[in-house]
Amino acid sequence: MSVRPLLALTLLSATPVFADTHDAGLSYGPRPAWLIGQMDDGELKTKLQSCLGQTPSRTDFSIGHRGAPLMFPEHTVESNVAAAGMGAGILECDVTFTQDHELVCRHAQNDLATTTDILLTDLADTCVTPFSPASGDTEASAECRTSEITLDQFRTLTPKMDSSDANATTPEDYQGGVAPYRTTTYADGAHLLTHAESIELFRDMEAKFTPELKSASVDMPHDGFTQEDYAQKLVDEYKAADVPASDVWLQSFDLSDIRYWIENEPEFGAQAVYLDDRYEAFDDDEGEIDPMDASTFKPTMQELADMGVNYIAPPLWMLVTSKDGEIVPSVYAEEAKAAGLNMIAWSLERSGPLSDGGGWYYQSIEDVTDNDGVTYELVDALAQDVGVAGIFSDWPATVTFYANCMGL
């Protein structure tokens, strides 16, 4: 089924919250009010409470991270319809490629075992690591890649919530393991997307685009398909759809991809987003990167700007720290701002409940993270003090509400 009829069917069958993706039909749902209710009393809480009756409007400050995967299978039609229905002005398709070098929306080239039903189909034979049951101290495992199947085969798969059961002894059991703060309620009937279909879908919903070029799990070139071919094909699909470069924020963790776009597709390269994961270069012996130590930023922020990079996107915790019980900008954020770099933060509402410090995404402010109301304290610090251009979220209504309330 093509995307346009599929979109129509999806909207007709959606719950009232997501029944219309135009501004007149947008809805925050109950989550923003619930988060505000968890906040400590203060000026910010009072301000947000005053906006509880406001009419939602779409905002580019709110970015759907893989759609709305807190409740919907990521990178599906339904996940993105939900995100658009919550006012996300920009939507994401993480892009990888199939065996026949067609571009599809998946968070990783090798995630099919946890995001689809491939292990329950005949395509399980294509998995580079077949399902292995849990035994003793060894966890269940499998690895299945889009690069091992054609586009036609990819279309036969059924998406599911990203999960796996480490204790599984059968492929059927391995389908479980969904985090308790997520849900399978909206998983049935979800539909996968190619990158080209995501362009059509997002445009139909009046949203803009932030595709991420994912690292390949296979050696490149792959059957003659080079990294440069891969980066160029991503841009070419926007050109073929007559999408203006100003509506597209290309993303990559690989700085060479960013530089390729800057040099070869300057209109698109001007908004290319360098997803900064340089903290991963610090192993246990060297220690984690310190967002308060500018000497750990190599290349420096100014060097990035001199390369033509205009956007940088690190995880939430890299942009903030805590001081005297308050969330404040990190040196990392101050250095980026001084170099004139636009900052985008990822990814809100990916940690689950925040009563125990918030986990990986909140590690630099864990000492002040003790309840879910801290979500809005962090959003406020990122927006007002750090000055980010947008925030990725697994449930975009949260960011949309804040942006509408503050007039962003």
Side-chain angles (χ1 to χ4, degrees):
M1 181 180 290
S2 68
V3 171
R4 198 171 298 275
L6 179 58
L7 172 60
L9 288 174
T10 301
L11 293 177
L12 286 171
S13 61
T15 62
V17 170
F18 306 120
D20 185 350
T21 58
H22 296 287
D23 281 7
L26 298 181
S27 173
Y28 298 127
R31 183 164 174 79
W34 181 82
L35 289 172
I36 294 167
Q38 306 303 305
M39 296 177 67
D40 295 334
D41 290 340
E43 184 177 344
L44 177 59
K45 181 175 182 177
T46 299
K47 170 61 177 176
L48 294 175
Q49 286 176 324
S50 73
C51 296
L52 288 173
Q54 69 186 359
T55 299
S57 61
R58 192 174 312 285
T59 169
D60 291 351
F61 191 78
S62 179
I63 307 171
H65 179 240
R66 315 184 203 179
L70 187 65
M71 290 187 161
F72 292 81
E74 64 187 44
H75 291 309
T76 60
V77 171
E78 291 73 15
S79 186
N80 284 292
V81 168
M86 289 183 263
I90 302 173
L91 298 174
E92 179 183 47
C93 168
D94 290 333
V95 176
T96 189
F97 59 85
T98 59
Q99 185 182 67
D100 44 353
H101 302 149
E102 297 297 330
L103 304 185
V104 296
C105 299
R106 288 290 88 199
H107 179 63
Q109 191 167 57
N110 63 346
D111 74 0
L112 294 180
T114 61
T115 63
T116 75
D117 68 342
I118 190 169
L119 291 177
L120 306 183
T121 74
D122 291 341
L123 292 175
D125 292 340
T126 69
C127 295
V128 296
T129 302
F131 172 75
S132 177
S135 177
D137 294 332
T138 303
E139 296 183 346
S141 63
E143 182 184 352
C144 310
R145 300 174 178 174
T146 60
S147 53
E148 303 303 310
I149 60 176
T150 65
L151 176 59
D152 286 344
Q153 291 172 321
F154 174 80
R155 292 185 188 278
T156 68
L157 299 175
T158 298
K160 70 180 191 69
M161 295 297 285
D162 186 10
S163 65
S164 61
D165 186 343
N167 298 313
T169 57
T170 67
E172 288 77 13
D173 291 342
Y174 194 69
Q175 308 303 299
V178 177
Y181 55 87
R182 298 184 185 272
T183 180
T184 59
T185 302
Y186 304 110
D188 288 349
H191 298 83
L192 297 172
L193 282 166
T194 67
H195 176 242
E197 288 168 347
S198 78
I199 294 173
E200 182 181 352
L201 175 64
F202 298 177
R203 182 162 53 187
D204 279 354
M205 298 189 298
E206 300 180 356
K208 298 175 184 177
F209 315 85
T210 186
E212 180 188 336
L213 195 73
K214 303 301 296 190
S215 297
S217 299
V218 294
D219 292 335
M220 299 291 279
H222 177 260
D223 293 339
F225 190 58
T226 67
Q227 185 67 27
E228 291 76 16
D229 293 335
Y230 183 25
Q232 186 62 51
K233 185 164 186 172
L234 178 65
V235 174
D236 288 345
E237 292 198 347
Y238 287 96
K239 288 182 169 182
D242 292 324
V243 174
S246 58
D247 285 351
V248 183
W249 286 262
L250 306 174
Q251 306 175 72
S252 180
F253 280 104
D254 188 339
L255 187 55
S256 65
D257 292 334
I258 305 298
R259 299 188 73 171
Y260 174 85
W261 291 321
I262 291 171
E263 294 167 10
N264 295 278
E265 292 287 352
E267 290 187 350
F268 286 88
Q271 290 192 161
V273 182
Y274 174 40
L275 297 167
D276 191 359
D277 66 344
R278 288 176 286 175
Y279 52 86
E280 290 190 351
F282 288 69
D283 60 26
D284 292 337
D285 293 330
E286 295 174 289
E288 292 181 346
I289 194 169
D290 181 359
M292 299 303 292
D293 181 0
S295 69
T296 62
F297 315 147
K298 301 296 182 183
T300 67
M301 300 299 178
Q302 189 57 55
E303 287 170 340
L304 288 171
D306 291 343
M307 293 175 195
V309 175
N310 291 317
Y311 285 84
I312 191 168
L316 300 169
W317 65 270
M318 289 286 288
L319 292 170
V320 292
T321 188
S322 60
K323 182 178 181 181
D324 299 327
E326 301 292 330
I327 301 173
V328 298
S330 66
V331 170
Y332 177 103
E334 292 171 349
E335 292 281 325
K337 184 181 293 186
L341 296 174
N342 298 291
M343 291 169 278
I344 298 173
W346 50 270
S347 292
L348 200 71
E349 294 166 305
R350 196 150 182 85
S351 296
L354 303 184
S355 58
D356 59 354
W360 190 84
Y361 286 91
Y362 287 73
Q363 60 187 276
S364 64
I365 57 169
E366 63 180 348
D367 59 322
V368 297
T369 303
D370 57 5
N371 69 81
D372 286 284
V374 175
T375 299
Y376 272 130
E377 294 178 25
L378 175 57
V379 170
D380 188 63
L382 290 169
Q384 307 300 334
D385 302 324
V386 175
V388 299
I391 300 175
F392 281 91
S393 176
D394 280 20
W395 199 247
T398 300
V399 178
T400 302
F401 178 91
Y402 176 90
N404 290 172
C405 184
M406 299 298 180
L408 300 182

